[in-house]
Every structure is written in structure tokens, then in C-alpha cells.
Amino acid sequence: MSPRTSPRSPHAEGSVLHALRSPKLLRTEVLAGLVVALALIPEAISFSIIAGVDPRVGLFASFTMAVAISFLGGRPAMISAATGAIALVIAPVMKDHGFDFLIATVLLGGVIQVVLAVLGVAKLMRFIPRSVMVGFVNALAILIFEAQIDHMIDVPWAVYPMIAVGIAVMVGFPRINAVIPAPLVAIVALTAFTVVGAINVPDVGDEGKLPDSLPAWFVPDVPFTLETLQIIAPYAVAMALVGILESLLTAKLVDDITDTHSDKTREAWGQGAANVITGFFGGMGGCAMIGQTMINVKASGARTRISTFLAGVFLLILVVGFGDVVALIPMAALVAVMIMVSVGTFDWHSIQPSTLRRMPKSETAVMVATVVVTVLTHNLAIGVGVGVLVAMTLFARRVAHLTETHRSVGTGADGAPQAVYTVTGELFFASSNDLYTQFQYVDDPERVVIDLSQSHIWDASTVASLDAITTKYERKGKTVEIVGLNPASAERHGRLTGGLSGH
């Protein structure tokens, strides 16, 4: 296994200079950017419809997000553009308050993302367990496939064999030629087939009108008042959180695929800055796109910022300069590409019977919870949040069961009888609540010693439980001595004891 490179290494920074000096690598980046641009067009139009805005708003957002993040982001080769998750969050603003308030929401959301990045929100990624990541990936694969179903219902019969041919090309072509991305070959071949054969099937042009001019500077016309802030702030916060979460999870996935590290903090504030830039060009905002990123990294083999930059540039050139040609691309070709992305994204190893037998049931439960909630809500942020909560709950339950209390009765140094309770394990809210019931308050002698040399006090709940135990013994005329505290536990106990309510 090759060692992981550091965030400052040439490879982790995208190896841009190396790619520019290598015709082979540069060709890979250019073709990857072209394939992603073609795949972005119908997606951006669809997300514009979800948000209730003109298709040009989503297309321009995809252009500005991709170009901006190629310079500002912390994960080379990752694609950011207009996304369904962001569209769902900001759609109510457009519906209830109009376009200017929507853009104001995007701008505020970008600023919040920058602030969160400065506060170190990216460091929270280490608290997301692997089982949640697996669930995130599998749910994403399901959602990508589910999004294609609409393009396969109530369509001419020719669509189905075209999808099958597109998939066959992407499976077989790499065995013949590994230089040209198979998705690009499938798109070009199926487009040529429909044009030459005059096959009447749904195409990109049916998804919405493509723009015929460049994006222009736009400043939202909204009152600069507290009332405006009250309207847009809840949606801006939700947009910021959803965007950062999806982007950082996607960055982590690309890290694993490419065996490199990325700068998560830079990615977080880069997303915010890209959204601010996008807002001032009248775009609907966005974040990292897992599907297009998988096309770029896995299907096309891109590894640098060049592919991300060119995806945005090609997108603008295609929709503005070659809109009439792009409109002829059959949706069947893009559906085939996204189906292959879905199949490649899903972690099939995670559902193999042998894996499920070896995996602890709690880990499987976390993965399933993440998948189910994400698919039902169509919101990756909610799914991941539920997955993390389930993982935390099961972990706390498991650790709590490792705490034990052993009682022994003997005599102290002065010959007086005493009961010694030796507590082992981690003491926190889940385990310390049961601690109160582990003592024999009536039968114990007048002196009781609680030995915590093999445990650690983690929170106020444990101190409150110890205070309650001490109080109950004192009511029966008995004394309690707590011994064996490590420095951290002693400091926490000394600071909190007596100031918390007991039972």
C-alpha cells in the first residue's frame, strides 16, 4: 500500500504543474472536465426547477461554483456546483419572498460557512464513524439511481435499449481504450445515433431553455433590516450546514479513493467563498456533488484542480456557445452515465453476507439507519445526523456495560470494619446513573471506601451520582471516602462536588 501523502505534497495539491507538463495527464483532465460539464447541464436544470428559479440560475451557479472552488477548495478534483440538497433548502425562500431574497440567503449562507470554517467545524469530521460514511455512500448511490427513474417512465421504447447500449459502452470500452473516458464515448455515440437516425427521444433541450448570454454581476435588492435577517437567516444556516457537511463527506470519500489527504478547513471556507461569489453572479448556490465527483475521479481518472476548473469553463461554453448542439444530447445517454456512477459508488462489500456476519450488529444498525433516513428524507445531512446519533447511543450503551463494581468487606488500618467498593470502567452519564444502585447501604459497616483507581470521571452526572451515594450513607450515620482518583478526575470531582443536586 502506498503511503498517504501530506496535504502539502504536490499530489495532494492537485499536481497541477505536473499535469500541465504531461500531455497524457492533461488530456485526462481535459476530457474529464468535458464529461462532467455534459453531466452537469441536466442536473443543474433539474435543480433549478426544484428551487423554483430559471434554468440559467442553476447553470450559472454550477459554472461559478466549479471555477471558484478549483482555486479556493482544499480537495483537488472534487466537483462543486448547484445541488439538489441546497435547492431543497432554499426553495421556500424563492416561493414566499422572491429571487432577491433567495440570492441574499445564498450570500449569507456563504458567509456563515466561512465563519464556521474559521471556528474549526471541519475538525468535527473525525467524529463521524466509518459505518455512517458507508451508509452515506450507499444512500447516495441509491439517490443517484432514484433520480434517473423519472427519465425512464412514460418515455418512448427506444430510450431503454439506448440506456442499455450506453451502459455496455462504459463497461466494455475501457478494455479497448483506457485513454478516452468511456462516459464521453457513450454520450457522443448515442447523440450521433439519435441525430443521424432521427430518433425521437427526450433530450437535454426538453429539460429547459439554455442561456444565451454570460452571467452578470448581481446585487439583491432587499431591505438591509433586522426583518430581512429574520427571514433569510434560518434558511442560510441550514444551507451552510448542509453544504459543508456534504462537501466534507465527499472530500473524505475522494481522499479514500485517491489515497491522498485534503485540507478540510480550506475546503469549508472555500465553499463559503464560492457561494458568496456565486450569489453575486445571480447563482442559486451549491456545494460538492458526489455524483459528478465520482464521474471525474473514478470514471474519468482526474486528479487535479484542472478538471474542476475546466468542468465549469466547458459548462459555460457549451450552454452559451453550443446550446443548440448540447440540447440534442439524449437524456438516455446521461441516465446511462449516472446509473454507472450509482453502481460504482455503492459499497457492495458492505452488504455481502460474509461482511454482515463479521460486522458487529451495532455497526450494521448504524449503516442501515443512515441509509434509510437519507433515502426517505432525500437529505444527506439529516441521514448523517441520525446515523451519528445512533452510533453515539449504541457506543455509550456498549461502554456503559463495561463498568463493574466489586464489593469486599474487611478491616481498615485501625482495625475498624469497612466495606471497599472497587469501580472499574469509564464513568459518564450512561454508566454512572446505575452506579447509585450498586451499593448495599443498609448492610455496610460504618466506614465505606470507594476505590476509583481503575476508572475515570468524565462528566457532572458521575459527580452527582457520587454525591448522592455519599449523602445516602451519611443519612444512615456512615462515612464515605473516595480514593484512587487520577488528577483529571480529582480536579473535576473537587470542582463539582457539593454543587450538584443529588437523588
Side-chain angles (χ1 to χ4, degrees):
M1 181 180 294
S2 61
R4 287 183 177 269
T5 53
S6 69
R8 296 293 180 185
S9 71
H11 186 73
E13 280 297 318
S15 304
V16 174
L17 293 177
H18 182 51
L20 291 174
R21 294 168 182 166
S22 169
K24 180 180 179 181
L25 292 179
L26 184 58
R27 181 176 60 243
T28 298
E29 299 296 315
V30 172
L31 293 176
L34 179 58
V35 173
V36 171
L38 290 170
L40 277 173
I41 293 170
E43 295 277 314
I45 294 173
S46 298
F47 299 148
S48 298
I49 294 171
I50 291 174
V53 297
D54 188 271
R56 62 187 294 145
V57 176
L59 290 166
F60 286 162
S62 295
F63 159 68
T64 52
M65 285 294 299
V67 171
I69 207 66
S70 68
F71 292 98
L72 303 174
R75 173 63 261 178
M78 190 168 77
I79 304 297
S80 291
T83 63
I86 299 298
L88 287 169
V89 169
I90 63 177
V93 182
M94 181 64 190
K95 180 180 178 182
D96 298 334
H97 304 284
F99 184 70
D100 287 279
F101 276 84
L102 179 139
I103 297 301
T105 302
V106 172
L107 293 172
L108 180 58
V111 172
I112 293 173
Q113 286 179 324
V114 173
V115 172
L116 290 175
V118 172
L119 295 176
V121 70
K123 296 178 182 178
L124 297 177
M125 279 297 295
R126 66 177 182 269
F127 294 109
I128 298 181
R130 180 187 177 278
S131 51
V132 174
M133 277 297 300
V134 173
F136 165 79
V137 169
N138 290 347
L140 211 41
I142 294 171
L143 291 178
I144 291 173
F145 181 82
E146 184 182 311
Q148 311 314 309
I149 294 177
D150 288 341
H151 300 294
M152 295 186 283
I153 298 176
D154 294 330
V155 294
W157 68 268
V159 168
Y160 304 109
M162 288 178 65
I163 293 175
V165 170
I167 292 173
V169 168
M170 284 180 280
V171 172
F173 187 79
R175 301 174 184 176
I176 303 173
N177 188 315
V179 176
I180 303 175
L184 179 60
V185 175
I187 292 171
V188 172
L190 290 176
T191 302
F193 173 74
T194 56
V195 172
V196 173
I199 309 296
N200 185 22
V201 293
D203 54 33
V204 171
D206 296 329
E207 297 296 303
K209 186 179 183 298
L210 299 178
D212 54 8
S213 63
L214 297 175
W217 186 258
F218 180 85
V219 177
D221 182 16
V222 297
F224 199 71
T225 62
L226 182 60
E227 182 181 358
T228 298
L229 182 63
Q230 291 173 337
I231 291 173
I232 67 175
Y235 299 102
V237 170
M239 172 190 163
L241 293 176
V242 169
I244 283 184
L245 181 59
E246 285 205 32
S247 299
L248 295 184
L249 287 173
T250 305
K252 189 173 188 300
L253 183 61
V254 177
D255 290 351
D256 294 337
I257 292 172
T258 61
D259 198 30
T260 59
H261 287 296
S262 60
D263 189 336
K264 303 298 190 301
T265 297
R266 176 176 172 179
E267 183 61 40
W269 68 253
Q271 288 289 331
N275 272 308
V276 171
I277 293 171
T278 297
F280 279 123
F281 279 95
M284 58 182 276
C287 63
M289 297 190 74
I290 181 69
Q292 277 63 27
T293 298
M294 291 301 100
I295 291 176
N296 198 44
V297 175
K298 292 192 74 173
S300 303
R303 291 293 182 271
T304 78
R305 300 178 186 275
I306 296 174
S307 58
T308 306
F309 173 77
L310 289 179
V313 173
F314 282 145
L315 172 65
L316 187 65
I317 293 173
L318 288 170
V319 298
V320 175
F322 300 92
D324 294 339
V325 176
V326 171
L328 297 175
I329 297 175
M331 288 303 300
L334 299 176
V335 168
V337 172
M338 297 310 292
I339 288 176
M340 288 300 295
V341 169
S342 173
V343 172
T345 301
F346 197 91
D347 187 351
W348 297 100
H349 177 74
S350 66
I351 61 172
Q352 290 180 356
S354 58
T355 302
L356 294 175
R357 283 194 298 268
R358 292 195 308 269
M359 194 67 64
K361 292 182 179 179
S362 59
E363 299 285 317
T364 303
V366 170
M367 180 192 73
V368 171
T370 305
V371 171
V372 170
V373 173
T374 301
V375 172
L376 290 178
T377 63
H378 282 224
N379 191 314
L380 294 165
I382 294 176
V384 170
V386 170
V388 170
L389 286 175
V390 172
M392 291 171 59
T393 302
L394 294 177
F395 174 77
R397 181 174 178 271
R398 188 163 61 247
V399 172
H401 289 166
L402 298 177
T403 303
E404 297 180 351
T405 303
H406 300 281
R407 175 179 181 266
S408 62
V409 179
T411 57
D414 56 0
Q418 67 177 15
V420 178
Y421 288 88
T422 303
V423 182
T424 61
E426 305 302 315
L427 297 176
F428 63 110
F429 63 90
S431 58
S432 61
N433 287 335
D434 293 333
L435 190 63
Y436 181 81
T437 64
Q438 304 300 310
F439 293 81
Q440 299 182 19
Y441 301 97
V442 176
D443 299 332
D444 282 339
E446 294 185 358
R447 185 184 180 194
V448 176
V449 177
I450 302 176
D451 183 4
L452 299 180
S453 58
Q454 299 180 53
S455 27
H456 184 92
I457 297 176
W458 286 104
D459 59 9
S461 295
T462 302
V463 177
S465 293
L466 291 173
D467 284 354
I469 293 167
T470 302
T471 300
K472 187 164 185 175
Y473 273 118
E474 288 175 348
R475 287 172 180 167
K476 297 182 180 300
K478 302 175 182 181
T479 61
V480 176
E481 181 183 6
I482 299 175
V483 300
L485 291 170
N486 59 42
S489 297
E491 188 278 331
R492 184 169 291 111
H493 182 266
R495 175 161 44 89
L496 298 177
T497 187
L500 303 170
S501 60
H503 285 273

